[in-house]
Structures are given as C-alpha cells and as structure tokens.
Amino acid sequence: MMSSGASNFVHGVDLTFFIILGISVFFLVTITAAMIYFVIRYRRKKNPKASQIEGNNTLEIIWTVIPTILVLIMFYYGWIGYRPMRRVPADAIPVKAYGQMWSWSFEYSNGKKSAELVVPLNKPVKLDLISKDVNHSLYIPAFRIKEDVIPGRNNYMWFKALQEGEYDIFCSEYCGERHSYMLSKVRVIPEAEYLAWLEKSDIPANEPPGLTLMKQNACVTCHSLDGSKIVGPSFKGIYGEKVTVTTDSGEKEVTVDDEYIRRSIYEPGAEVVKGFNKGLMISYKDKLKDEDIKSITDYIKTLK
Ligand SMILES: [Cu+2]
C-alpha cells in the first residue's frame, strides 16, 4: 500500500497516516497496560491507606518533551505530504470540475464536457473546483485527495495519476437529499488514447438536444424520465397534464405547458407540484437560454 499507489500523493498521505496510527496504537496499548497494572498493584485490599505523592520534575519534563517531539513529527510528515498538493506544476492540464446538486461534471479547455473525469497516465492534471449551488467536496480516495468546492471561491486541486484504471469520485460534504448519489469516476488511460477521447464527442449522435442539456445540467438526477419518483416529479407523461401546485398564496391547478416548464426552470419555488418539497432546486435563469428551454420542452413532450 505504501509502495507506489494510484497517484503521486499516495505515498506521502499513507506515510503520515501510518505514522499517526502507529503512535496512537503504541499509546493505546501502553496506557491500557499501565492502567491494568496500577489497578492490580494498588488495589484496596493490599493498600488500605492511600499515600500522597508530591511533584516529580524529571517526570514532568519527560511528559512534556516527548509528546512535543511526537506532535512535531506528526506535523512534519503532514506538512511535507500536504505542501506539494498546493503547488501545481506549470504544465498541468486544466480541467474545470463542477459540483452541483447532485452530480459532478467536467469541462476541458477545448470545450468538451464529460460526466466522468478522463485523464492521461503520468501527466499532471489541475482541477478548478466550481460549485453551481451549495458547498460540496471533491474526494478521490484512491488518489488520497479531497478539496472543498465552495460557491464564489476559486479552489483547486491537482494530481498525477500513476496507474491505469477507474477510481471512484465522491462528494464528501453533505449537500442535501441526494448527496450520497453524487458519484462519478476518474478514468486513467494512456496519453494517446486520452488525446483521441478529447477530440471526439461523448454525446450519442442521435441523442435529442433536450436530453443532452438535461444530463449536462443534472436535471435527471432529480427528475426521472421513466415515471419513478426521485426528488422532483418525473418528466414522463407530465406534459399537457393538469397538476395541483403549491404557491405562496395557496394551492391551485395548472396545466403543464411550455409556459409552466419555463417558469419552473426560472423560478422553481413559485409553483411547486403538490407532494414535492420547495427549495431543493435552484433557478437556472443564468444557465439556460430560451432556446435551451425550448429543446428541453420539446424533449419532455416526447416522454409519453
Ligand atoms: Cu455534494
């Protein structure tokens, strides 16, 4: 485990972890043994009268100096493991990593968007961490890296993948109802394969533009396309239906038409379908243009 690892940070993090674990286990065992020894050695039956002990300078110096050295050792390994994480090599490949309720997405400098993070082997990659809504945290356990993704802040992380393969990406900052479903993958492939991947589109040739937009904006993480209930109403068969909605001034009935879909995307809290919670969806006013909403609506119409 400590030899190579999936990224350039595995060695430093594991070394720190095992040093701290080793020190902790040593003290757990030693202190427990001392406690048991004292309990038996100074039991009441043998020592009916307690004896008073006054201070001991040698002991006090020992239990001040040794713990100080130990915490400095822990700090030293923590620091030399952490410092390189904040120093991004100048030639690192920049990728924008977006977190939103509840999915990750990645955007490359040529404009290619992807739901999984694809990176070349043995090349430094820098992730610019951008939140579209609330606090998230991008965590790649196999690479031993984790950074918070905070709206309005420009945080970053970098790594060099050292082994081909697929590794999990998690969100490690509780971000709402479907936080635990906020999963993705890093796929590490040889550089030539990566360059070929970068140039070709991942979007299936005959995919309706509305569906592509719904995937890219994470609509489908809360609204199913097959009728199952997740966080919001399913899109299946909803177009043209009459639904009861809750507004600030009470309940009313509306027909799901172009206008209602646009309003729900721009002001999601205004008319919430009864039985669903208000406040879970953000406004997509700055993210989706009128023509995007048209494509989405056209696609929803086909979901019969
Ligand atoms: Cu999250």
Side-chain angles (χ1 to χ4, degrees):
M1 211 205 249
M2 281 175 70
S3 55
S4 58
S7 89
N8 57 320
F9 296 125
V10 170
H11 177 74
V13 173
D14 283 2
L15 183 65
T16 311
F17 178 80
F18 285 114
I19 285 171
I20 295 175
L21 182 72
I23 293 173
S24 306
V25 168
F26 172 77
F27 279 102
L28 173 72
V29 172
T30 314
I31 292 170
T32 309
M35 276 165 55
I36 294 169
Y37 172 75
F38 285 139
V39 165
I40 297 168
R41 172 82 174 71
Y42 297 104
R43 62 193 188 275
R44 194 173 173 189
K45 214 193 294 172
K46 280 279 166 73
N47 303 272
K49 198 167 179 306
S51 50
Q52 294 302 323
I53 301 165
E54 291 294 310
N56 183 323
N57 283 338
T58 316
L59 260 182
E60 296 217 8
I61 289 167
I62 289 173
W63 73 44
T64 305
V65 171
I66 290 179
T68 305
I69 292 171
L70 288 175
V71 293
L72 286 174
I73 289 172
M74 294 186 210
F75 173 77
Y76 171 77
Y77 283 101
W79 176 247
I80 58 164
Y82 176 70
R83 194 175 49 177
M85 293 181 182
R86 305 315 290 163
R87 295 190 171 168
V88 186
D91 60 340
I93 299 165
V95 180
K96 288 192 174 109
Y98 294 99
Q100 72 182 108
M101 294 185 285
W102 286 280
S103 72
W104 296 107
S105 56
F106 303 94
E107 187 178 349
Y108 291 77
S109 46
N110 68 351
K112 169 146 185 173
K113 290 177 181 162
S114 172
E116 58 172 7
L117 178 60
V118 177
V119 297
L121 190 62
N122 289 322
K123 293 275 170 192
V125 175
K126 182 192 181 199
L127 300 180
D128 285 303
L129 305 171
I130 303 154
S131 169
K132 293 186 182 179
D133 40 47
V134 300
N135 293 0
H136 302 278
S137 186
L138 201 150
Y139 181 29
I140 311 176
F143 290 178
R144 307 290 193 274
I145 50 173
K146 174 161 79 173
E147 281 298 331
D148 286 351
V149 184
I150 308 293
R153 293 256 192 112
N154 298 315
N155 203 359
Y156 64 89
M157 74 206 294
W158 83 277
F159 60 85
K160 190 159 77 180
L162 303 179
Q163 277 169 15
E164 276 182 50
E166 273 194 10
Y167 307 96
D168 291 321
I169 296 179
F170 296 107
C171 178
S172 59
E173 179 73 51
Y174 182 71
C175 57
E177 210 169 316
R178 288 182 66 82
H179 159 72
S180 58
Y181 292 85
M182 200 169 155
L183 308 168
S184 184
K185 292 242 184 259
V186 200
R187 193 150 56 86
V188 182
I189 52 179
E191 195 182 11
E193 216 177 292
Y194 162 76
L195 292 171
W197 174 87
L198 195 59
E199 290 313 315
K200 71 176 206 318
S201 170
D202 278 352
I203 302 164
N206 50 4
E207 183 171 283
L211 178 57
T212 308
L213 281 163
M214 287 206 291
K215 286 180 184 167
Q216 286 172 350
N217 288 282
C219 311
V220 290
T221 57
C222 298
H223 302 277
S224 80
L225 305 177
D226 62 0
S228 55
K229 182 178 171 178
I230 318 176
V231 171
S234 175
F235 288 145
K236 188 180 180 185
I238 200 171
Y239 192 86
E241 289 293 300
K242 279 195 167 35
V243 290
T244 307
V245 295
T246 312
T247 70
D248 285 342
S249 53
E251 287 180 9
K252 66 173 186 180
E253 197 161 81
V254 296
T255 303
V256 180
D257 55 8
D258 292 42
E259 192 39 46
Y260 177 70
I261 291 173
R262 172 202 307 277
R263 208 160 52 235
S264 299
I265 292 173
Y266 283 167
E267 298 166 60
E271 293 178 352
V272 183
V273 176
K274 201 177 168 189
F276 294 93
N277 288 324
K278 182 179 167 172
L280 290 174
M281 179 172 161
I282 54 159
S283 169
Y284 283 76
K285 202 153 194 139
D286 311 320
K287 299 176 179 76
L288 292 170
K289 297 189 284 283
D290 278 0
E291 67 218 59
D292 297 334
I293 291 181
K294 170 115 185 26
S295 305
I296 288 172
T297 310
D298 286 344
Y299 180 67
I300 290 175
K301 283 179 195 170
T302 67
L303 296 167
K304 290 292 168 198

